[in-house]
Amino acid sequence: MNIFRRELRAYRRGLIIWSVCLFLLVVSGMSKYSAYSAGGASSEVFDALPQTMKALLGFGSFDVTQISGYFAMLFLYIELTVAIHAVLLGSGIIAKEERDKTVEFLIVKPVSRGTILTAKLLAALVQAILLNLVTLVSSLVMVSAYNQGEAITEEILQFMASLLLVQLIFLSLGTVLSALLKRPKTSGSIATGVLLGCFVISKITDLTDQLNALNVLTPFKYFSYARIVNGEGLHAGITALSLLLVAGLVVFTYAAYRKRELNV
């Protein structure tokens, strides 16, 4: 429990900064909704964009004049930001002890490596959930402020549920890389590189249906925004497979961490 509290304190400042950034992202994003929904010249500019450009910007298949379609477009950027936080958090919870030369503090404690890793993962999970809640509350408040049509609270909750699963996947991926790599300083950059690679793949598959098979490589494409906007909800099978993927990555992290030679 002391390790758990120590981890929460260590990342408290960073969590506050990320929370403020997410809040500002939602606020600034939703403040532009009137330009999309008002019609006139601004809407004509968006309609005139090539389909390729619309796909790259995230609104190729949505009606952004409607609040649900606009939020789906904004959610792409929210998801990318939160995923970056998750992968950096995951890669840092193990690597920072060796990077900051505080690993001796942990290994002299009368606890196993498994107990140490469990406390770290729980602290990371709490931070991911708190950031998700900040995003949820910010989204509900701002959408309510600009929405003049049918409420989309249920859709927002589904978006946030998919966001939490993506957070868990990238958090687990970061911990796996941190446990496997011998040089702790490189884990964060490599984990971020993997995440950006996943995002690029998701944009490539948006441009052509012929490469949809690549979607299995990127968590950004596991959950269909269109399904949520159309009221179909999250795909139960994909949700279950995502949870299994997270569980598998966590198990692999424990195995790698137990065998890891710590640099003290």
Side-chain angles (χ1 to χ4, degrees):
M1 186 59 68
N2 288 335
I3 299 174
F4 174 77
R5 289 197 297 266
R6 173 178 175 270
E7 290 297 311
L8 289 179
R9 286 196 300 268
Y11 285 98
R12 179 175 53 194
R13 185 175 180 181
L15 179 61
I16 293 173
I17 293 174
W18 278 97
S19 297
V20 171
C21 290
L22 259 297
F23 172 75
L24 294 177
L25 174 60
V26 174
V27 170
S28 62
M30 289 305 305
S31 66
K32 298 178 178 63
Y33 173 62
S34 56
Y36 289 79
S37 61
S42 57
S43 293
E44 292 177 1
V45 171
F46 299 130
D47 293 338
L49 289 174
Q51 189 63 29
T52 300
M53 184 62 67
K54 291 181 179 180
L56 290 175
L57 293 176
F59 60 96
S61 58
F62 304 116
D63 179 6
V64 293
T65 63
Q66 300 296 317
I67 192 71
S68 57
Y70 181 81
F71 184 79
M73 180 192 71
L74 177 61
F75 183 74
L76 169 68
Y77 304 99
I78 294 174
E79 185 176 46
L80 176 61
T81 303
V82 174
I84 292 174
H85 167 265
V87 80
L88 289 177
L89 179 62
S91 63
I93 60 173
I94 295 175
K96 74 181 182 69
E97 304 298 346
E98 298 178 46
R99 183 186 62 237
D100 299 338
K101 305 301 181 183
T102 57
V103 68
E104 298 94 335
F105 169 80
L106 294 179
I107 62 176
V108 298
K109 282 182 166 293
V111 293
S112 65
R113 286 194 180 187
T115 301
I116 293 172
L117 184 57
T118 298
K120 286 176 168 288
L121 289 175
L122 287 176
L125 176 62
V126 168
Q127 293 174 72
I129 292 175
L130 288 176
L131 190 60
N132 188 282
L133 289 175
V134 169
T135 308
L136 170 61
V137 173
S138 302
S139 299
L140 289 173
V141 171
M142 294 308 300
V143 168
S144 176
Y146 285 93
N147 187 19
Q148 297 179 351
E150 184 178 355
I152 61 166
T153 301
E154 184 177 351
E155 287 86 345
I156 293 176
L157 291 174
Q158 292 171 358
F159 272 116
M160 293 305 144
S162 72
L163 179 63
L164 181 59
L165 289 171
V166 171
Q167 286 177 273
L168 295 179
I169 291 172
F170 281 112
L171 176 65
S172 303
L173 178 62
T175 60
V176 166
L177 291 174
S178 184
L180 288 175
L181 295 174
K182 294 182 178 181
R183 296 177 59 188
K185 292 183 179 180
T186 64
S187 60
S189 57
I190 292 177
T192 304
V194 172
L195 180 146
L196 294 179
C198 291
F199 185 75
V200 170
I201 292 174
S202 72
K203 293 291 95 183
I204 292 175
T205 58
D206 280 342
L207 299 177
T208 173
D209 293 336
Q210 296 179 351
L211 298 175
N212 280 346
L214 295 178
N215 285 337
V216 70
L217 301 177
T218 170
F220 292 110
K221 300 296 288 186
Y222 287 178
F223 302 98
S224 171
Y225 298 172
R227 280 182 59 94
I228 298 176
V229 171
N230 294 333
E232 300 176 37
L234 301 179
H235 192 288
I238 299 299
T239 301
L241 289 175
S242 298
L243 291 172
L244 286 175
L245 175 59
V246 172
L249 290 172
V250 170
V251 169
F252 194 76
T253 299
Y254 274 95
Y257 188 65
R258 288 192 178 98
K259 297 179 181 179
R260 180 181 176 85
E261 293 183 5
L262 299 177
N263 297 317
V264 298

